[in-house]
Amino acid sequence: MKNTAEVLRDLVEPSNIAVHSTLQLAGDVSVAAAEDDKQRKAKDLDRLRRKPGLCPVPAKDLCRLAQLTTWDVLHSFGRAITLARRGAGRGLAEHWSCLKYNQALTGNSDSFIGLSAEGRETADYYKALQSGELGTGFALALAKRLLSRRYPNHFVSIVPADTALRAGWALTSRDSGPKSGYRYRPQFFAEVWRPGEPSRVFPIACKGNHSGLSASHTQLASASTHAEAVHIGAWDETPCLVFSTELPLDGPLTVHALEAGGSGGWLDAPERVLDHELEDVNVYPGIRPIAQSDNTAEPEPGYHVSPDLYGWFQHTLARTAAAGLTAFAGDTRATAPYLTKRQGQRHFTGFTHAATGSVQDARHRFFGVEFVGTDHVFRLNRKRVEAFSGVAEDLFRHLEEGRVEKYRREVYARRSTWPRDVWASRWDGPVSIHPDGSVLAMRLFHD
C-alpha cells in the first residue's frame, strides 16, 4: 500500500483519458433505445421520449485523448454536489464526499487512467455509487473543457438541474405547487455566458458503470430521455450533452460522449438584476410541441423554459451557481439568501445534526491568492490529512454581500489568469483552482 505522501502526489499526476465518440457509438445507442422501447411495450409501459439526433462530438472540439488529474476530477465532482441535498447534513456536507475517491483511480502521463486496487475492491460492494459519482466528475470536467473550446470568450458555469428547476416546478410530492409528475430530467445545466449578454444553456445527463461498453449504450439511451426532459425555447431545438463513463475492473477508463445540436438554449431576454432575491414561481408543467395543422397539440411531460421565462431562468441559474460557491466555502449564512424555499433554503438555516455542520472560518494563501473557506480533518492510510475548500477572498466577499453582478463581472475578467500549478510547496499538498474562483486542497495534517 502506498504511503499517504505518495497518494497525495498521485492525485496531481496528469493521466490520459480515453474519450469515445463515433458514428458507431451513436448507432449502437439507437439500437439500445429501440430494444428498450420494445421491452417497455411488452410490459405495457409508455414509450419514452428521447432526444433525437444524437451524434458524435467532433474531434476538433473534444480530443479523443485528453489528460486530467484525479484531483481536478474530484474538485469538479465536489463542486457539483454542494447543493445535492443528499442528507440532513450541510457544510461537511455533501461536497466532502468526493474525497472518498482519492485512492480509487490510478494512472500517469504514460498510461490511461483506470481503477486502482482500492477502486476495484470498492466496486465489489458499492458498484453503482462509485461508478455514478466518478462518472459525474469525469463528465463535468470534460463538458467544461469542450464548451470552453467552443466558446473561448465566454465563461462556463455548471449548475445542478434539480436545484435550478425547483425554483419553478414542484419536482416531488414534498414540493409545494403544481406537481410535474415526471421523474426524468438532466443532472446538470451548463450555462455559457458573458456579462450583459444572452447566455446559452446545455442540459447535461451523465452516468457511469463498471460493466462494459454495452452498459454504456444502455446508459446513453437512458441519458437521452433525461436530456430531452428540458426544452429551452422552441420544440426540440435545445442542444445537450450526454455521457457514460465506463470504469472496467480491468483496463482503462473510457468516457463515451454524444451530443444533440439545435438552435435553442439561448436566454436572450433582457437581463434581470441578479443581485435581487429569487422567489419560487409556479410554472405549469409540460412541453408544448409544434402544433399539427390547426389542432392544438397536447403538452408532453417535462419542463419548458418558454421565451417569457428566459430572464427568470437566467436569474435562477446565476443565483443557484452563487449558492453552490458559498456552500463550497462552508458559509451557510451566505448560502441561504441565494436559494428559494423550494430549492432547499431551510437546509442552510436552523438546526444542524452533530458533526455535519461546517463554518467558513479558515483561510489559506495559494500561489499569491488569498482564499477563505472551510476545512476537514480525516484519516488517509492511518495518517491524518487536512482538506480545505474555499473561494478567492475578494470574490467571496462579493457573494457574501449579495453582489452577484460584480462577482460575475470580475470572475469573467479573470477567467484565464488563475494559477495553473497543481502542487503548492508551502502548503505541501495538491491544489486545484477552478476559473469560478473555487479551490480544493489537501495535505498531511501537522499538530
Side-chain angles (χ1 to χ4, degrees), residues 274-306:
L274 302 181
D275 294 352
H276 291 174
E277 287 195 10
L278 186 69
E279 297 290 337
D280 283 323
V281 299
N282 291 313
V283 181
Y284 192 78
I287 303 171
R288 185 74 63 179
I290 298 173
Q292 301 296 324
S293 65
D294 294 331
N295 298 324
T296 302
E298 288 296 316
E300 294 282 351
Y303 312 90
H304 193 180
V305 182
S306 53

Side-chain angles (χ1 to χ4, degrees), residues 197 374 384:
E197 297 185 9
T374 186
R384 285 193 294 175

Side-chain angles (χ1 to χ4, degrees), residues 307-325:
D308 59 304
L309 296 173
Y310 287 168
W312 165 81
F313 197 56
Q314 192 174 53
H315 191 189
T316 299
L317 293 174
R319 295 202 51 100
T320 304
L325 271 171

Side-chain angles (χ1 to χ4, degrees), residues 152-217:
N153 297 317
H154 291 70
F155 196 94
V156 180
S157 295
I158 300 295
V159 181
D162 268 17
T163 307
L165 291 173
R166 271 195 167 90
W169 291 270
L171 302 187
T172 68
S173 59
R174 296 189 302 273
D175 298 329
S176 60
K179 304 300 181 286
S180 67
Y182 197 57
R183 66 185 184 90
Y184 298 98
R185 47 192 174 269
Q187 287 90 354
F188 300 95
F189 293 118
E191 185 193 13
V192 180
W193 57 271
R194 293 176 68 175
E197 297 185 9
S199 59
R200 197 175 198 194
V201 181
F202 295 78
I204 296 175
C206 47
K207 297 173 179 285
N209 70 82
H210 289 305
S211 301
L213 181 57
S214 61
S216 285
H217 296 158

Side-chain angles (χ1 to χ4, degrees), residues 114-253:
L115 289 176
S116 65
E118 181 179 288
R120 291 192 296 272
E121 184 177 338
T122 301
D124 290 337
Y125 299 96
Y126 304 104
K127 196 170 187 178
L129 177 65
Q130 177 173 266
S131 62
E133 292 189 331
L134 286 176
T136 294
F138 282 102
L140 296 182
L142 290 172
K144 286 185 290 185
R145 179 175 292 190
L146 163 65
L147 293 172
S148 294
R149 285 179 182 169
R150 286 186 174 173
Y151 300 87
N153 297 317
H154 291 70
F155 196 94
V156 180
S157 295
I158 300 295
V159 181
D162 268 17
T163 307
L165 291 173
R166 271 195 167 90
W169 291 270
L171 302 187
T172 68
S173 59
R174 296 189 302 273
D175 298 329
S176 60
K179 304 300 181 286
S180 67
Y182 197 57
R183 66 185 184 90
Y184 298 98
R185 47 192 174 269
Q187 287 90 354
F188 300 95
F189 293 118
E191 185 193 13
V192 180
W193 57 271
R194 293 176 68 175
E197 297 185 9
S199 59
R200 197 175 198 194
V201 181
F202 295 78
I204 296 175
C206 47
K207 297 173 179 285
N209 70 82
H210 289 305
S211 301
L213 181 57
S214 61
S216 285
H217 296 158
T218 302
Q219 286 189 335
L220 288 169
S222 172
S224 71
T225 298
H226 290 267
E228 173 66 2
V230 175
H231 283 207
I232 300 170
W235 172 261
D236 264 341
E237 288 293 337
T238 306
C240 74
L241 296 166
V242 295
F243 298 91
S244 172
T245 300
E246 179 189 348
L247 298 105
L249 298 183
D250 187 17
L253 176 152

